[in-house]
Amino acid sequence: MKKLINATLVGAAMTLATVSGASAKDIRLKMGSTFPSGLVQLGTLGKQLETNINAMSGGSIQIKMFEPGALVPALELFDAIKSGAVDSGWSAPGYWQGKEPAVTLFTTVPFGPSAGEYLGWMYYGGGEEMMQEIYARHNIHVNICGIIAPEASGWFREPIESTADLKGLKMRFFGLGAKVMQKLGVDTQLLAAADIYPALERGAIDATEFSMPAIDLKLGFYQIAKHYYFPGWHQQSTFLEFMVGMDKWNAMDDQQQAIIENACKANVAMGLAEGEAIQAKALKELVANGVTLHRWSDDDLAVFEEKWNEVAEEQAAANEDFARVWASLQAYRDEYKLWAEYGYLK
Amino acid sequence: MKKLINATLVGAAMTLATVSGASAKDIRLKMGSTFPSGLVQLGTLGKQLETNINAMSGGSIQIKMFEPGALVPALELFDAIKSGAVDSGWSAPGYWQGKEPAVTLFTTVPFGPSAGEYLGWMYYGGGEEMMQEIYARHNIHVNICGIIAPEASGWFREPIESTADLKGLKMRFFGLGAKVMQKLGVDTQLLAAADIYPALERGAIDATEFSMPAIDLKLGFYQIAKHYYFPGWHQQSTFLEFMVGMDKWNAMDDQQQAIIENACKANVAMGLAEGEAIQAKALKELVANGVTLHRWSDDDLAVFEEKWNEVAEEQAAANEDFARVWASLQAYRDEYKLWAEYGYLK
């Protein structure tokens, strides 16, 4: 009998060891954000990430999203994660281009690929690996964690007959596209979402781009500027990211890391789907509110693209990482062209 | 001593109960498949699902993929899950169109949407809900669980100058596209992957379609037929699915269900990315092996589309679910057009 009991005890102990080994250390993550949690796609995808990680981990990871500014000012998120002051963050890589110019290529590229082609490079063409390498220098683990639909080119008070009309305008503009606009004589400023409407209203800026129709609609720009231009040549698709301090990341077991990586990929699928599903409705609502939709002419787009090529060369000349990442993306896109030519209905 | 041992035993048992209460009932799932696990995308995405579910659940779900035929013949998978003989399955909805004609609209649609637009309908336009409703009648829980890149139109021994040349050909063809080909006088047959090459070699069929360049390359059709046609108007994107017997699904807790649903969405993101990344390389290799790539003329495509519209009407007239799902997809696509017109670079 004693033998039997001992055997049972040993068996029970072994089972316990196995079970508690599996769900080892619970992880708590405060997640800062550069986007308000309620903002369509940009914020709601962050909330979805929080929901899914918590649901899948059954409490082994407890992640909580905080509004921009609640932990640290929105644009200090990167540095706060780097220093360990904040555990994790929800953002878009382009916000850190002042620190690492190459990361803008992991967010969006003027005249760049749309979602499918871009995802191919990111996951199977070396994109995410280069991104992780650059972030790792700053003690941050990063995953691509969402993608949103194309942006619009912007809101103008008066119709723009050609790119020559842009000269002298004061316009809010983001990222590498802003450098293109500067070459066309535009005085660009980068304003956060909440500051755009008042600046437009009081005439501090003449025009603005911000995001896609469903998001721009919420921000109410159409109440002031009635001319809405497409396509968003500067931002045909935009990646979002989830950052975790490297020490926090390394403290997680394989299961916890797998949950985060898969939650991010699920977010990519849902972001793409939602972005496609909600724009037409928003466009209709804008038109019902007196907005005129315009498409740039082919000539206008050729001008933007020519200036963009100049900007890309300048950026590559100025920064080694930019040059390396840009070369990788270009090589991928050159090869992809053959598939684009044959694979798709036009 | 006996008391101590008893107390320890009780303690161990209680701990065990608590721990196993958290990850409640471990679930074991045998997963049948209609695709060999090694087949690019079609099979490898199933393996990836297995890997990710096991990794994320830390053993709370133990899922194991079996090769086609190992549990039941590939095309009996649906009925085997329905009856409870097999736990779960990896497949594409179109295989069950003989039982439920509408499900083909959840797989691929001739002249249908490409990935982004299709995903919007599936997740945010009511597609997956209708799919789940139809499968639930058969005691099956289903999730969209992958998407692959456009297919090619097919392999021919001689160039096809116009759709008139198709008349009288014996050709392997899948799904609703086959009904279109029949209207053009093609004698269509549905052969499984492994049976196509020998049938082509001995002349039992004159031509074949199967899948995308990266997959067709592996199957070696180019060794016999040298003319490869694009675009695959009949299959611009294709959804894969994960089915679980309803009793098995209902036995899972929220955490286990969340893991499966997110693993499926992650599979969608990775399937899309991989499909885009690997086709151009495959095309180059085919060309290096003497294959000529062709694009159908606009006139040819107009003929295919006209015949497809007849097929769609016939299918909708014959089946109420088909009519309902088709109407939903058409309404979504009608609205989407406005966004397609403005949002994208062309």
Side-chain angles (χ1 to χ4, degrees):
Chain A
M1 183 65 187
K2 193 179 162 200
K3 214 174 200 169
L4 180 62
I5 289 171
N6 275 352
T8 310
L9 266 174
V10 171
M14 279 179 66
T15 310
L16 273 172
T18 311
V19 171
S20 71
S23 59
K25 318 121 279 183
D26 288 352
I27 298 278
R28 282 167 205 269
L29 295 175
K30 291 187 180 180
M31 179 171 83
S33 173
T34 52
F35 305 109
S37 64
L39 190 59
V40 185
Q41 293 227 279
L42 292 173
T44 53
L45 284 166
K47 282 304 280 184
Q48 187 170 290
L49 182 73
E50 177 194 82
T51 302
N52 286 340
I53 289 175
N54 287 333
M56 282 197 283
S57 72
S60 144
I61 307 173
Q62 290 157 48
I63 185 165
K64 184 167 161 51
M65 182 175 188
F66 288 80
E67 296 301 324
L71 301 176
V72 288
L75 298 187
E76 291 174 21
L77 191 54
F78 184 94
D79 286 335
I81 297 169
K82 178 176 182 167
S83 73
V86 170
D87 302 326
S88 67
W90 171 253
S91 187
Y95 281 109
W96 325 121
Q97 73 183 81
K99 302 169 203 301
E100 289 283 3
V103 300
T104 188
L105 299 171
F106 306 119
T107 306
T108 189
V109 181
F111 295 93
S114 57
E117 183 183 354
Y118 209 177
L119 280 166
W121 174 70
M122 194 57 86
Y123 288 134
Y124 291 91
E128 201 185 43
E129 272 168 51
M130 288 185 286
M131 184 181 175
Q132 288 177 332
E133 179 205 319
I134 291 171
Y135 279 64
R137 289 181 210 153
H138 299 272
N139 205 30
I140 295 174
H141 178 89
V142 68
N143 282 117
I144 286 298
C145 203
I147 191 166
I148 66 167
E151 299 209 340
S153 261
W155 297 88
F156 299 88
R157 289 169 194 266
E158 303 296 334
I160 304 293
E161 302 300 339
S162 84
T163 53
D165 290 356
L166 295 169
K167 195 168 179 178
L169 284 183
K170 286 173 289 177
M171 185 170 186
R172 186 270 181 198
F173 221 100
F174 173 84
L176 290 165
K179 296 187 193 294
V180 174
M181 295 301 269
Q182 287 160 17
K183 284 190 181 273
L184 293 167
V186 178
D187 176 9
T188 68
Q189 304 177 30
L190 181 58
L191 300 173
D195 301 328
I196 301 173
Y197 185 97
L200 202 57
E201 195 175 29
R202 68 170 190 273
I205 52 176
D206 305 307
T208 187
E209 65 82 49
F210 181 65
S211 190
M212 56 172 68
I215 295 177
D216 286 354
L217 169 67
K218 300 272 182 211
L219 296 179
F221 308 137
Y222 67 89
Q223 292 161 14
I224 305 167
K226 296 289 189 191
H227 297 275
Y228 198 21
Y229 276 73
F230 294 90
W233 52 267
H234 64 303
Q235 218 157 332
Q236 281 283 290
S237 61
T238 305
F239 279 119
L240 303 172
E241 68 182 354
F242 177 62
M243 300 179 281
V244 186
M246 196 61 83
D247 294 344
K248 279 274 176 188
W249 178 257
N250 289 335
M252 295 186 211
D253 62 23
D254 292 348
Q255 184 182 353
Q256 289 163 327
Q257 290 180 354
I259 284 171
I260 287 176
E261 288 183 335
N262 279 275
C264 278
K265 287 169 181 166
N267 240 15
V268 166
M270 298 308 275
L272 176 61
E274 186 184 32
E276 289 283 88
I278 64 181
Q279 308 307 327
K281 219 179 286 290
L283 285 175
K284 278 189 190 169
E285 193 174 334
L286 288 167
V287 169
N289 279 286
V291 169
T292 304
L293 308 178
H294 302 263
R295 252 191 91 94
W296 296 110
S297 69
D298 288 349
D299 285 348
D300 294 334
L301 289 171
V303 171
F304 289 128
E305 190 163 13
E306 186 199 331
K307 297 297 173 195
W308 157 243
N309 288 331
E310 292 174 25
V311 170
E313 271 183 37
E314 289 161 13
Q315 296 288 312
N319 182 276
E320 211 173 285
D321 280 322
F322 191 103
R324 181 172 60 107
V325 177
W326 180 240
S328 163
L329 181 59
Q330 292 309 97
Y332 169 84
R333 298 199 74 192
D334 280 348
E335 183 171 270
Y336 181 87
K337 271 182 197 147
L338 183 65
W339 169 237
E341 186 185 339
Y342 284 98
Y344 288 90
L345 281 166
K346 279 168 187 168
Chain B
M1 183 64 186
K2 193 179 164 199
K3 216 173 194 169
L4 180 61
I5 289 171
N6 275 351
T8 310
L9 265 176
V10 170
M14 280 179 65
T15 310
L16 273 173
T18 312
V19 172
S20 73
S23 56
K25 316 122 279 182
D26 288 351
I27 298 276
R28 282 167 205 265
L29 295 174
K30 290 187 181 181
M31 178 170 84
S33 173
T34 53
F35 305 110
S37 62
L39 190 59
V40 185
Q41 294 229 279
L42 293 173
T44 53
L45 284 165
K47 281 304 280 184
Q48 187 169 290
L49 182 73
E50 176 194 83
T51 301
N52 287 340
I53 289 175
N54 287 333
M56 284 196 282
S57 73
S60 144
I61 308 173
Q62 290 158 48
I63 186 166
K64 186 168 161 49
M65 182 176 188
F66 288 81
E67 297 301 324
L71 301 176
V72 288
L75 299 186
E76 291 174 21
L77 191 53
F78 184 95
D79 287 335
I81 297 169
K82 179 176 182 167
S83 73
V86 170
D87 302 326
S88 66
W90 171 254
S91 187
Y95 281 109
W96 326 121
Q97 73 184 81
K99 303 169 204 299
E100 289 283 2
V103 300
T104 187
L105 299 171
F106 306 119
T107 306
T108 189
V109 180
F111 295 94
S114 57
E117 183 183 355
Y118 209 177
L119 280 165
W121 174 70
M122 195 56 86
Y123 287 134
Y124 292 91
E128 202 185 43
E129 272 168 51
M130 289 185 286
M131 184 182 173
Q132 288 177 331
E133 180 205 320
I134 292 172
Y135 279 64
R137 290 180 208 154
H138 298 273
N139 205 31
I140 295 174
H141 178 88
V142 69
N143 282 117
I144 286 298
C145 203
I147 191 165
I148 65 167
E151 298 209 341
S153 262
W155 298 87
F156 298 88
R157 289 170 193 267
E158 304 296 333
I160 304 293
E161 302 300 340
S162 85
T163 54
D165 291 355
L166 296 169
K167 195 168 179 179
L169 284 184
K170 287 173 287 176
M171 185 170 185
R172 188 270 182 197
F173 222 98
F174 172 84
L176 290 165
K179 295 187 194 295
V180 173
M181 295 301 269
Q182 287 160 20
K183 285 189 180 274
L184 293 166
V186 177
D187 177 8
T188 68
Q189 305 176 31
L190 182 56
L191 301 174
D195 300 328
I196 301 173
Y197 185 97
L200 202 57
E201 194 174 30
R202 69 170 190 271
I205 52 175
D206 305 307
T208 187
E209 64 83 49
F210 181 66
S211 189
M212 58 173 65
I215 296 178
D216 286 354
L217 169 67
K218 301 271 182 211
L219 295 179
F221 308 138
Y222 67 88
Q223 293 162 14
I224 305 169
K226 296 290 189 190
H227 297 277
Y228 197 20
Y229 276 72
F230 293 89
W233 51 267
H234 64 303
Q235 217 156 333
Q236 281 283 290
S237 61
T238 306
F239 279 119
L240 302 172
E241 69 182 353
F242 178 61
M243 301 179 280
V244 186
M246 196 61 83
D247 294 344
K248 278 274 176 187
W249 179 256
N250 289 334
M252 294 186 212
D253 62 24
D254 292 347
Q255 185 182 353
Q256 290 164 326
Q257 290 180 353
I259 285 171
I260 287 176
E261 287 183 337
N262 279 275
C264 278
K265 287 169 181 167
N267 239 15
V268 166
M270 297 308 276
L272 177 61
E274 186 184 31
E276 289 284 86
I278 63 180
Q279 306 309 326
K281 219 178 285 288
L283 285 175
K284 279 189 188 166
E285 192 173 334
L286 288 167
V287 170
N289 278 285
V291 170
T292 303
L293 308 178
H294 301 264
R295 253 191 91 93
W296 296 111
S297 71
D298 289 349
D299 285 350
D300 294 334
L301 290 170
V303 171
F304 289 128
E305 189 162 15
E306 186 199 331
K307 296 297 174 195
W308 157 243
N309 288 332
E310 293 174 24
V311 169
E313 272 184 36
E314 290 161 12
Q315 296 288 312
N319 182 276
E320 213 172 283
D321 281 321
F322 190 103
R324 180 170 62 105
V325 177
W326 179 240
S328 163
L329 180 59
Q330 293 308 97
Y332 168 84
R333 298 199 73 192
D334 280 349
E335 183 172 87
Y336 181 87
K337 271 183 198 145
L338 183 64
W339 170 237
E341 187 185 338
Y342 284 98
Y344 288 90
L345 282 166
K346 278 167 188 169

